[in-house]
Amino acid sequence: VELGLSYEQGQFYGLNISSSIGSSKVVPKKKSNSFYSAASAKSKFQSVDHSDSWYDKALYDLEKAGLRVNKARQTPGSTHVSMEISNPTFIYTADAVQKTLQVSEIHLPKEIKTITLHLLEEGLSGPRINYLRPPRTTAQNLPIKGYNPIEERIDVLEPKKLTRPTNVTDYGFPRISTGADLGARVQVMDPDEPFRHQLYLKLTGRAQFNNHLNLWASYSADLNNNFDASRRSDSVLPHVRSDSVKYLVEGKSGIDSLYLDYRNSAGSSFFYRASLGILEEMYSGFATEVLYNKFDSRFGFGASYAHLRQREYAKTFDHLSYTTNIGFLSFYYATPFYNFDLAIHAGRYLAKDKGLTYEFRRTFDNGFSVGAFFTRTNVSAEEFGEGSFDKGLYFKIPFNSFLPGNSKSSISTFLRPLERDGGRRLEDFGTSLWFERRFNRQDALINNIDRMDPE
């Protein structure tokens, strides 16, 4: 990472931050924060809770490591334990599994022979990880080295919900969390002003009612803004996106989003999402999405629908008169080549035009993602205007590579040459479940079983 400061032309101050990415080294290094385990006499666990339960001790250690244990099942006399875990911290699912198994080896009774981890990510069920513990020495109770390679002791199984738990963690729902970040919006190559920008304070909030239902909120407080809405859109289509600058001028400070979001799984192959409220800067309404992706298949099929109303430019609770319905049928394919995903979406867009969107995306194991897309609809090049059809690039940059600890935080954006109205969708609602589950699919986990080794 390079940091540069500059003073130019006798009037401008500049700040430059840059980083180069070596894509050949796709697997990130493991990171671990240090803390005293509940098994240590120096641990605060000893002064707060003298419980001898393995579940309480494992819960304490895993929360210190950045993981959550929602529930577990251990029936009397059984040699098997099942645990449901959620991973809000590790960008690499294999590392979350490794840390959970490592803690389990410390606290689980020696008579337990197998451990099954049920993965739950943002309300969606992930594969199960079945782990066969190695035998341990009778003297120091340490695992015997060299007992079967890890590939023979770990299986990746189809998703299945953990039922009839014997231990359940009370997380005191609803849980409220807030955040504050600096954000920027940029527009380049305007003939009147080559570089338009907004620097703003982004305030976020989340109310988590359970593992599946959340209330999300985002508010932008303007700090510096030179956008100008004097250049009017010449689009002959409904102005579903070409008036976006008005939202940056009249609504430079305002509500970006405020919506309820519910996510869940039905069986091992169906995943669904439903959202209601202010979904983004320009639209409010109701949106839903379903995804079918068989556990051991590289193919997926999705469907999405949304009923929307365009928001007023000041980004308050008021709305304009324009309403629309959008919907898509989607086909996905996770290729075996360098983690490339292909997607085709067919349906009705914001301006009520109909057509196809083609999407190509590569996701690196370290969380970086790059892609491209283009859309062709029944709107002619003349009706569309300059640019002829919608196209652009997608980037997602995780912060994990730049921070000392583990983090799933990231920044993602779509880059377009022009803001036009044909072939436009909601950017974050619909056709998203496939990519959100990228690190929890079977192919991604099987390729990294050796990284899950707790020894």
Side-chain angles (χ1 to χ4, degrees), residues 78-350:
S78 173
T79 60
H80 177 78
V81 162
S82 297
M83 291 189 290
E84 181 185 276
I85 66 168
S86 295
N87 169 30
T89 304
F90 292 82
I91 195 170
Y92 212 38
T93 303
D95 289 352
V97 171
Q98 186 267 346
K99 178 58 67 174
T100 304
L101 294 178
Q102 189 180 66
V103 169
S104 299
E105 286 285 18
I106 296 173
H107 297 298
L108 279 175
K110 61 183 179 180
E111 58 267 20
I112 299 299
K113 305 300 182 186
T114 57
I115 304 169
T116 299
L117 303 182
H118 298 247
L119 305 182
L120 184 70
E121 295 294 325
E122 292 296 341
L124 304 175
S125 297
R128 290 173 294 150
I129 309 298
N130 197 65
Y131 171 67
L132 175 63
R133 299 178 79 186
R136 309 178 79 82
T137 61
T138 55
Q140 291 86 19
N141 193 33
L142 297 174
I144 297 176
K145 298 294 184 181
Y147 172 79
N148 288 11
I150 190 66
E151 292 82 2
E152 296 181 11
R153 292 189 286 117
I154 285 187
D155 290 321
V156 180
L157 308 175
E158 66 178 336
K160 186 178 180 181
K161 293 185 178 182
L162 195 160
T163 58
R164 302 187 302 278
T166 56
N167 302 84
V168 177
T169 304
D170 181 4
Y171 280 107
F173 293 120
R175 294 166 60 92
I176 308 296
S177 58
T178 58
D181 303 276
L182 285 177
R185 297 179 176 96
V186 175
Q187 183 187 71
V188 296
M189 303 308 174
D190 185 314
D192 297 328
E193 179 64 49
F195 181 75
R196 294 195 186 277
H197 67 277
Q198 181 193 27
L199 180 67
Y200 63 96
L201 180 65
K202 183 179 181 180
L203 305 174
T204 57
R206 177 185 186 182
Q208 187 177 11
F209 299 102
N210 54 45
N211 287 323
H212 304 281
L213 180 63
N214 293 272
L215 175 66
W216 297 92
S218 176
Y219 182 89
S220 292
D222 184 68
L223 299 177
N224 185 270
N225 189 328
N226 73 342
F227 278 97
D228 186 339
S230 60
R231 181 182 293 274
R232 296 181 180 274
S233 169
D234 61 357
S235 177
V236 299
L237 299 173
H239 292 189
V240 296
R241 291 298 188 191
S242 59
D243 283 340
S244 60
V245 173
K246 290 186 178 181
Y247 291 87
L248 301 178
V249 175
E250 298 182 35
K252 57 186 179 181
S253 293
I255 301 170
D256 288 335
S257 62
L258 179 63
Y259 63 91
L260 280 169
D261 187 70
Y262 182 80
R263 300 167 181 237
N264 211 330
S265 308
S268 62
S269 304
F270 283 96
F271 309 90
Y272 58 94
R273 174 190 185 187
S275 306
L276 175 66
I278 300 175
L279 303 178
E280 54 151 89
E281 293 179 4
M282 295 183 66
Y283 291 94
S284 298
F286 170 75
T288 185
E289 178 187 5
V290 296
L291 171 69
Y292 174 77
N293 177 214
K294 193 175 179 181
F295 161 70
D296 56 356
S297 174
R298 289 183 174 272
F299 296 94
F301 302 91
S304 60
Y305 168 81
H307 174 71
L308 306 168
R309 187 171 183 181
Q310 192 169 2
R311 297 179 63 194
E312 199 269 331
Y313 304 123
K315 294 196 300 188
T316 61
F317 291 101
D318 296 328
H319 292 80
L320 303 177
S321 61
Y322 184 75
T323 61
T324 187
N325 298 301
I326 64 173
F328 300 93
L329 296 177
S330 302
F331 167 77
Y332 304 95
Y333 175 52
T335 77
F337 306 106
Y338 302 103
N339 289 344
F340 271 104
D341 288 83
L342 309 180
I344 301 175
H345 314 291
R348 188 175 191 260
Y349 297 83
L350 287 173

